[in-house]
Each structure stands twice: as C-alpha cells, then as structure tokens.
Amino acid sequence: MTQSFAAKSRLLSLDPLERQALANWVLVWVGLANIGFSLMYFVGSPPRVFEILMFGILGLVVRKQPFAIQAIAFVAGLAFAVVFILSSLFNLPIYSLSRSIIFMSELNALNSLEYIAVGLGLALIVLLACLTLRRPSHFTDHRAVLIAFVAIAVVALLDAYMGHGMRGHYKRLQSEDAPFSSAMSNAGAQPNSRPC
C-alpha cells in the first residue's frame, strides 16, 4: 500500500526547478495574457476561446527560446488578442480593421479616460510579462507540458462559461421571435406611402 502511494506521489511530483519554470510560464502565458481581457466580463465580453488557445500554444512553442524572442512573441500575441477583440466588439472582419488605421491620426487618446486606462494597463501587462520572462520558464518534463495544456484549457473553458448567454454577447443571430422596436414607430411617425 505504501509502495503504491510512494510511486504515485513520485509520478505526480515535479522537480522543484521544473515546478518553478512551469509557475513562471503559467503566470505569463496564461495569467498576464488574459487578465486584462477578463475585466470585460463585467460589461459584456465577446468569446475569446480561440485567442486564449493560440496565445497559450504560442507560449509553449517559444518557452525554450531566448528572452528577446519570448518578449517579442508575447507582445505579438497580445496585439493579436487586442485586434481580435476589437474585431469582435465592432463586429468587423479583421481585414476591415486594417482599413481603419488611416483614422488613427484623428484619435486623441487623452480625451478618453478609458483609452488612457487601457493603454496603461496594456503597458503594465507587457512590463510585468517581460520581468517574469527573465526568469526560467523552459520546463521539459512531459507532466509539466500536460499541466500547461490543462491550465490553458481551464482558462478557455472559463471564458466560454463566463460568456455563455451574456447580455451583449457578440456574433450571435437573433431568434425569429426576438422583440424588435423601430425608432419610427416609437416616435409615432407614419411612413409616407405617397410617391414624391
């Protein structure tokens, strides 16, 4: 009995260095990669399951690379996630967002406290990620890789759960019996049926 318990505990226990590397990796590629977006659950968030999975897989791919490559990958993954969430928020395809870049010069971010807060929040996330990426995160144990996949899947499932049926959820078709109100009828205006 005690031998089987000892064998199981050896199977489930990771080397302390592997455990620390896994913890550093999870903090960056699962925690910091998604914490800013999770704040949107309070106001209505588009589903992000695909972005969560892609960000996590990107982190697994680059975990053994030098710091500079990991930092660039994190910033690229964050930019990818921001573009996807903007696309979902405005219900626009990604390619049409690229056409909107010409209007960026007209945007004055200092006029909006929300833009300032989002910009500072993203900068803080990148700073914390870069500081953490300087720590070892190149775990190799197959059990650590499995735990990393489970962590990614848990966050993706949590996002799907939080977004299910959320008021203001995005990219859903309305049912045929959904209530609909018209500004014309609410104002009491009658359409002009006579030809002009």
Side-chain angles (χ1 to χ4, degrees):
M1 178 77 176
T2 56
Q3 287 181 340
S4 65
F5 179 75
K8 284 181 183 175
S9 68
R10 276 197 306 272
L11 180 67
L12 296 174
S13 66
L14 288 171
D15 176 86
L17 294 176
E18 286 279 297
R19 197 176 323 131
Q20 187 59 52
L22 175 62
N24 293 336
W25 183 90
V26 168
L27 175 61
V28 173
W29 297 97
V30 179
L32 292 173
N34 296 295
I35 193 164
F37 300 104
S38 66
L39 296 175
M40 291 189 64
Y41 294 143
F42 297 107
V43 294
S45 173
R48 295 188 53 251
V49 173
F50 176 73
E51 295 92 290
I52 292 168
L53 294 174
M54 289 300 100
F55 214 149
I57 290 169
L58 175 65
L60 284 172
V61 169
V62 301
R63 75 182 189 277
K64 297 179 185 178
Q65 299 301 317
F67 164 76
I69 293 175
Q70 289 189 55
I72 290 168
F74 183 85
V75 171
L78 193 61
F80 170 80
V82 167
V83 167
F84 260 80
I85 205 161
L86 287 174
S87 170
S88 296
L89 283 172
F90 296 108
N91 208 11
L92 295 170
I94 298 275
Y95 67 85
S96 69
L97 282 179
S98 63
R99 295 181 188 159
S100 304
I101 292 175
I102 59 171
F103 301 111
M104 293 295 281
S105 62
E106 299 174 16
L107 179 67
N108 185 356
L110 298 179
N111 286 341
S112 169
L113 290 177
E114 290 85 1
Y115 289 157
I116 294 169
V118 167
L120 290 174
L122 287 172
L124 180 62
I125 287 170
V126 169
L127 175 66
L128 290 173
C130 287
L131 291 173
T132 308
L133 284 171
R134 292 202 172 271
R135 300 181 196 164
S137 61
H138 52 276
F139 52 89
T140 55
D141 192 311
H142 65 280
R143 294 169 299 178
V145 174
L146 182 61
I147 292 169
F149 270 117
V150 168
I152 296 165
V154 165
V155 172
L157 288 172
L158 178 66
D159 180 83
Y161 172 77
M162 291 299 291
H164 180 72
M166 184 181 288
R167 182 173 174 264
H169 211 78
Y170 301 86
K171 293 190 177 177
R172 287 192 175 169
L173 295 174
Q174 293 291 337
S175 63
E176 291 180 13
D177 60 344
F180 174 78
S181 65
S182 163
M184 290 284 289
S185 60
N186 287 346
Q190 297 295 323
N192 187 359
S193 58
R194 294 181 310 183
C196 295

